[in-house]
Amino acid sequence: MDKQLLEKYFKGQCTPQEAAKVESWLSAADTMLLDEFMMEKWEEANTPVVTKPRVHKFWYGAAAAAVIGIIVSIAFFWQHRTAVRPVAVKWDTLHNTSDNIQLFTMEDGSEVWLNTHSSIIYQNRYNQESRELWLHGEAYFKVTKDEKRPFLVHTGHLTTTVLGTVFNIATSNMADGSIQISLLEGKVAVSKPDSFNEVLLPGQMLNYAAGRQPQLTNFEKSDVLDWKKGKIHFNHTRLADALARLQQRYGCRIVLDDPSLGKKKISGEFSRDMSLEKILATLGYVHDISFVRINDTTYETHSK
């Protein structure tokens, strides 16, 4: 293990294999390198000591939650670029490692549907002083209205702010790493510090990739909420984006040997219960592509 790989992990830039390696290392007892890494980042930030909050903790998962609980303080640093010195800040984690959608009800009554291989983290003081979540993956939110405490969802460098509404956020469905925020009811504001602040209306989706201006488009519910109905829906979708979505939902890695293949368009609907191998076989038959399994979690494409 080295600091360069840790830095990639906490910035969300690791491949699935690298992420698995880091998480396995984090679950071990020896965390001397991790402690050193944390201290370096805190010293770089050079901010005053903050008041120590009340310590309280709830666990919502077993091993996965324990691992994410270890790293969440550093993840918080990368999200905000403002840091605290080591204090007993406690975090809770909702992590869906199953093959099914999971519904969680927060203390304020807000509902969060987590897609497979997705997670959210939040301070254990949620709903006491604020309502803030950090999302990795995909989730559907139905937020209880509270004008005194807006509901904030952080994804990468973006913050989505709402009072009470229904929306969907996906962070891993596009090949270029774009974040997609889709509003179904109410109103939300999506902002990036010192860059932009966009207000969405129902039926609008914000697409944002690092280094680009955000794009506002309309969307079809069947395209965005297919996962809540146990479906995988492609509607003239670029193959590269379709494979990115399959990677998110099946927790795997699919490598395109020829980037030009990613421009091919596909349409169709699959059951979430269908095996990944059958879906890939169908896509391969239509586009004359073979998918070769390299190991338990990695596939490669080859033109026939």
Side-chain angles (χ1 to χ4, degrees):
M1 185 54 55
D2 57 67
K3 294 177 183 178
Q4 289 75 20
L5 184 56
L6 284 176
E7 188 156 345
K8 281 183 65 179
Y9 181 81
F10 295 125
K11 287 183 176 180
Q13 298 173 350
C14 279
T15 65
Q17 289 81 3
E18 289 174 332
K21 178 181 178 180
V22 174
E23 289 172 0
S24 176
W25 179 81
L26 287 168
S27 65
D30 184 8
T31 61
M32 183 177 297
L33 180 62
L34 177 63
D35 293 340
E36 182 180 342
F37 181 79
M38 290 174 66
M39 287 302 301
E40 286 180 2
K41 297 306 173 186
W42 276 316
E43 288 171 1
E44 287 174 12
N46 194 29
T47 53
V49 177
V50 300
T51 304
K52 181 176 180 179
R54 182 174 63 88
V55 177
H56 189 51
K57 175 170 62 180
F58 296 96
W59 292 102
Y60 288 90
V67 171
I68 295 180
I70 296 172
I71 67 171
V72 78
S73 293
I74 305 178
F76 179 72
F77 167 79
W78 285 115
Q79 294 285 354
H80 281 270
R81 301 301 172 117
T82 60
V84 294
R85 295 186 184 278
V87 293
V89 176
K90 294 297 180 180
W91 298 76
D92 293 331
T93 303
L94 305 179
H95 189 59
N96 184 5
T97 58
S98 73
D99 293 328
N100 301 304
I101 299 166
Q102 292 187 359
L103 168 62
F104 298 93
T105 301
M106 308 300 292
E107 283 186 44
D108 62 331
S110 295
E111 296 176 343
V112 180
W113 281 262
L114 269 184
N115 202 349
T116 56
H117 305 286
S118 301
S119 61
I120 60 173
I121 58 176
Y122 57 98
Q123 285 191 12
N124 64 346
R125 294 176 294 171
Y126 174 89
N127 201 42
Q128 295 179 23
E129 300 175 1
S130 63
R131 300 188 296 170
E132 290 189 77
L133 305 173
W134 284 259
L135 168 68
H136 176 75
E138 185 168 18
Y140 173 92
F141 300 88
K142 188 173 182 180
V143 179
T144 299
K145 188 172 183 179
D146 186 340
E147 295 183 355
K148 294 181 179 179
R149 289 170 293 188
F151 188 94
L152 285 76
V153 181
H154 303 280
T155 46
H157 296 292
L158 300 186
T159 298
T160 301
T161 304
V162 305
L163 293 177
T165 189
V166 179
F167 60 103
N168 190 87
I169 300 181
T171 67
S172 308
N173 283 351
M174 303 296 286
D176 64 358
S178 296
I179 296 172
Q180 298 172 300
I181 301 170
S182 308
L183 180 64
L184 289 94
E185 299 177 15
K187 186 184 293 186
V188 301
V190 182
S191 60
K192 181 176 183 290
D194 302 320
S195 181
F196 65 83
N197 183 47
E198 295 282 354
V199 176
L200 275 62
L201 300 177
Q204 289 186 321
M205 171 194 289
L206 182 141
N207 287 272
Y208 173 75
R212 304 180 194 170
Q213 287 298 310
Q215 301 293 321
L216 285 180
T217 61
N218 295 325
F219 68 91
E220 295 291 336
K221 287 185 179 181
S222 58
D223 294 338
V224 171
L225 299 181
D226 59 341
W227 64 276
K228 284 190 80 259
K229 298 179 180 179
K231 304 289 185 181
I232 302 175
H233 183 77
F234 301 125
N235 181 18
H236 297 290
T237 306
R238 291 193 325 131
L239 179 61
D241 295 329
L243 297 182
R245 197 183 307 179
L246 292 174
Q247 287 182 133
Q248 161 62 33
R249 299 192 185 182
Y250 286 89
C252 66
R253 182 170 180 244
I254 306 173
V255 181
L256 278 169
D257 70 328
D258 181 358
S260 66
L261 295 175
K263 298 178 182 179
K264 293 179 177 291
K265 298 292 182 69
I266 63 171
S267 295
E269 187 171 271
F270 302 91
S271 169
R272 180 61 182 81
D273 295 330
M274 184 179 293
S275 69
L276 176 61
E277 285 75 13
K278 288 185 178 180
I279 295 177
L280 294 178
T282 301
L283 298 181
Y285 176 79
V286 172
H287 291 288
D288 204 25
I289 301 170
S290 64
F291 289 87
V292 180
R293 186 168 184 170
I294 304 303
N295 54 46
D296 290 344
T297 59
T298 304
Y299 298 79
E300 284 186 355
T301 64
H302 297 281
S303 301
K304 293 183 179 179

